[in-house]
């Protein structure tokens, strides 16, 4: 089975314009993401709508593809990029352009999900460590069936643990945090980008609910590695500190 990584990267960002080209430990953020992906996968591309990012990727020896600027989601950009590349990969892995510390183990876990023929889309979950994090609506929760397929994603705390104080819920149920890394079978990626927005997706502002609502099977791999995404300049400062500790370790 052949896998390819496509890394959507936009220059325009409300909270951090130009973040793919921000410097992190002497390299751009996008170069660090690309190097992490290409260390595990035979092929990796950056999909961008900005000439500056395209040229930066070419300059460090990476592969890039230009896409339209009007995409509503990274999934739509992924589909256009896959079509332009003309890839013959069986599975396309979407690695966010602001995840410079994505680990080999996480990518390998994603790949392993597709050994099950029923897996149409793969993603990752990480056990929550405290109830304060569980209650954060910016950290979507996943509920899975016994075979690891997602039943639902929510910004709310699900399930509700009846008869227990909320502060103790984590002692009674293994809450799972969703990490926004996806992999799609090639035809499935094409199909899901043709779907209109669904009612659940609009309610929770979670794109993956569109896929569930239309009957697609999303299998969830478990990782114990936390991702360190970069959304703001403050995140970049934290990432610099994280990088230093990694290099010292």
């Amino acid at each position: 089975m052949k896998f390819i990584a496509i890394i959507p990267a936009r220059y325009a960002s409300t909270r951090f314009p130009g973040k793919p080209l921000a410097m992190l430990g002497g390299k751009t953020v996008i170069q660090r993401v690309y190097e992490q992906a290409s260390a595990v996968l035979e092929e990796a591309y950056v999909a961008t709508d900005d000439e500056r990012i395209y040229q930066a990727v070419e300059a460090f020896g990476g592969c890039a593809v230009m896409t339209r600027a009007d995409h509503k989601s990274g999934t739509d950009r992924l589909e256009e990029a896959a079509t332009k590349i003309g890839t013959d990969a069986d599975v396309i892995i979407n690695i966010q352009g602001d995840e410079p510390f994505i680990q080999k183990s996480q990518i390998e876990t994603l790949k392993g999900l597709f050994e099950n023929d029923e897996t149409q889309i793969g993603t990752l979950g990480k056990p929550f460590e405290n109830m304060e994090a569980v209650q954060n609506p910016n950290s979507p929760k996943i509920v899975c069936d016994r075979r690891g397929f997602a039943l639902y994603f929510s910004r709310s705390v699900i399930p509700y643990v009846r008869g227990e104080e909320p502060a103790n819920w984590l002692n009674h149920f293994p809450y799972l945090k969703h990490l926004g890394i996806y992999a799609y079978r090639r035809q499935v990626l094409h199909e899901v980008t043709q779907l209109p927005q669904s009612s659940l997706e609009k309610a929770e502002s979670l794109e993956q609910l569109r896929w569930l609502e239309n009957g697609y099977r999303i299998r969830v791999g478990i990782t114990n590695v936390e991702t360190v995404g970069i959304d703001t300049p403050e995140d970049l400062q934290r990432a610099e500190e994280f990088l230093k500790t990694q290099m010292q370790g």
Side-chain angles (χ1 to χ4, degrees):
M1 185 175 287
K2 184 176 179 181
F3 295 84
I4 183 176
I6 298 181
I7 307 162
R10 296 171 60 247
Y11 192 90
S13 168
T14 306
R15 289 186 287 179
F16 193 173
K19 69 178 174 181
L21 301 183
M23 299 303 293
L24 174 59
K27 296 179 181 180
T28 61
V29 169
I30 196 63
Q31 181 174 352
R32 290 198 172 276
V33 178
Y34 186 91
E35 289 177 351
Q36 293 293 95
S38 58
V40 185
L41 301 163
E42 291 181 21
E43 281 188 89
Y45 285 82
V46 173
T48 185
D49 59 1
D50 191 275
E51 189 67 33
R52 289 163 289 188
I53 295 173
Y54 183 92
Q55 290 177 357
V57 174
E58 295 266 299
F60 67 69
C63 298
V65 58
M66 287 293 291
T67 55
R68 302 199 322 265
D70 60 349
H71 288 302
K72 293 181 179 178
S73 72
T75 313
D76 293 334
R77 191 177 308 284
L78 203 70
E79 166 62 16
E80 186 197 353
T83 301
K84 279 194 168 182
I85 294 163
T87 180
D88 61 349
D90 302 288
V91 175
I92 295 168
I93 299 178
N94 180 359
I95 296 174
Q96 298 300 322
D98 57 5
E99 294 278 358
F101 301 110
I102 186 166
Q103 295 297 302
K104 177 180 179 180
S105 64
Q106 293 174 310
I107 298 173
E108 293 291 359
T109 297
L110 268 178
K111 289 171 65 178
L113 297 175
F114 290 87
E115 292 172 7
N116 185 322
D117 291 339
E118 293 179 48
T119 303
Q120 294 176 295
I121 300 169
T123 194
L124 295 179
K126 179 184 180 295
F128 277 103
E129 296 175 357
N130 59 71
M131 272 310 296
E132 184 181 0
V134 175
Q135 292 167 335
N136 182 354
N138 294 318
S139 292
K141 274 60 71 176
I142 320 171
V143 175
C144 299
D145 69 14
R146 290 183 178 274
R147 299 178 62 217
F149 287 95
L151 292 169
Y152 194 67
F153 298 79
S154 184
R155 296 185 184 279
S156 295
V157 180
I158 56 170
Y160 179 94
V161 181
R162 188 176 180 185
E164 295 291 338
E165 289 295 320
N168 298 324
W169 283 3
L170 197 56
N171 297 324
H172 297 273
F173 187 83
Y175 289 93
L176 198 59
K177 175 183 179 179
H178 181 224
L179 306 183
I181 304 164
Y182 296 103
Y184 312 78
R185 292 196 190 272
R186 177 67 189 95
Q187 180 59 28
V188 170
L189 174 62
H190 175 72
E191 290 172 7
V192 297
T193 56
Q194 310 305 308
L195 298 171
Q197 275 197 310
S198 73
S199 56
L200 289 174
E201 174 190 9
K202 289 177 182 177
E204 296 249 24
S205 191
L206 294 174
E207 185 184 18
Q208 62 270 33
L209 293 177
R210 183 193 316 184
W211 313 331
L212 277 186
E213 202 168 348
N214 281 277
Y216 286 91
R217 315 262 350 248
I218 305 174
R219 196 146 180 254
V220 182
I222 305 300
T223 178
N224 288 307
V225 180
E226 183 65 83
T227 56
V228 184
I230 298 174
D231 289 320
T232 66
E234 291 72 30
D235 291 339
L236 184 65
Q237 292 177 353
R238 283 191 287 271
E240 284 279 8
E241 294 303 315
F242 183 77
L243 185 62
K244 286 177 187 175
T245 60
Q246 274 199 330
M247 294 171 72
Q248 289 167 358

